[in-house]
Amino acid sequence: MSYKYLILGMLSENPMSGYDIKKVVKQALGGITSASYGTLYPTLHKLLEEGCVSMQEIPQRTRPSKKVYHITDRGREELREWLKQPASTDQVRREFLLKLYLAHNLEPKDVQIMLAMRRAETEQTVREVLADKARQTGEKSWLADYTLAMCEAELNWLTDFESRYKPL
Amino acid sequence: MSYKYLILGMLSENPMSGYDIKKVVKQALGGITSASYGTLYPTLHKLLEEGCVSMQEIPQRTRPSKKVYHITDRGREELREWLKQPASTDQVRREFLLKLYLAHNLEPKDVQIMLAMRRAETEQTVREVLADKARQTGEKSWLADYTLAMCEAELNWLTDFESRYKPL
DNA sequence: GATTGCATGTAAGGGGTTACATGATTTT
DNA sequence: AAAATCATGTAACCCCTTACATGCAATC
């Protein structure tokens, strides 16, 4: 995904510390990506060297200094260039589908369990996303809508699959 | 994804060489996973050590010996145990969604291009999957159906998104 | 004559996570 | 009294891809 641009993207909205970036990413983009400190901090250091961000250290009595990063003109330019490039193809790993593909090694009972669990998980996701959406009151719900569309499509597919599988 | 089980899974259907596994995976599971030689061969060696597979070397005049791997009882047992465990959560990275989220850094024109490209790619996928499905004459089309369901859901979502975006 | 297919493998590197280290403050 | 929040960072590791090395045969 190139975390470089994820970080620049976050900083294009607001100056933030590494700690902040993680929170914001989780809250706003939790469904599509994540950012761990092990990647975040080293990448910020690299961006500083490259001149894509500037840093302002704010001392605090009780805690480590807060380092607030600002995107620079250079960083904005690089971000824009990247955004214009065609997006790389989706990388999707659904272990569930692999297991279903190999289901002939299991007893029918276990396959039923697998399908039921998948359904329950997907329904759970729908509930969570709906709750999130309600909390955000309107604006920028398109990401939530995307997830919901995928979940609904999968639930329909599951129904279809089950009706074909049961008779076997 | 743990390639160990992908390989065991493939061998649970037929004895195969590493070379064969790659082909079969690409053909049957191309949409959900892949297997590169750099992972395949070392993993096969490890599985052999662990006693999960056995190997039969078949000399050939013109080429390197073909090494045909068979799954053992031990391997079958481990595969079954793994299959019974709950599938790990989907890992999905859609760079497209991240770029769309950061689209406020682009001119509207470039956003339109992004959306149009995504639509074209998704439609292309639909065409390819339909062609594949036609070739396979019936059986085991559920995986293709899954992909198609996701693509259709996305195309609908795209239409929705575009109609909301255009007025802005 | 160049590309594709068959068939094995290794080495280097990329990209990331997890767990750890530190430590006060606020909430439960 | 325990856990979560704030806040930085490093080190070890995992998993995987890419590119390379080898080399003949068949196809275009």
Side-chain angles (χ1 to χ4, degrees), chain A residues 5-28:
Chain A
Y5 298 104
L6 172 60
I7 292 173
L8 284 179
M10 292 301 119
L11 294 178
S12 78
E13 299 184 322
N14 284 304
M16 277 185 275
S17 66
Y19 191 85
D20 292 335
I21 291 173
K22 190 170 187 218
K23 271 196 308 178
V24 173
V25 166
K26 192 173 182 183
Q27 190 258 321

Side-chain angles (χ1 to χ4, degrees), chain B residues 127-141:
Chain B
R127 259 175 261 125
E128 284 167 13
V129 173
L130 283 175
D132 261 29
K133 214 179 139 175
R135 220 174 292 132
Q136 285 179 1
T137 61
E139 30 91 42
K140 254 187 188 176
S141 69

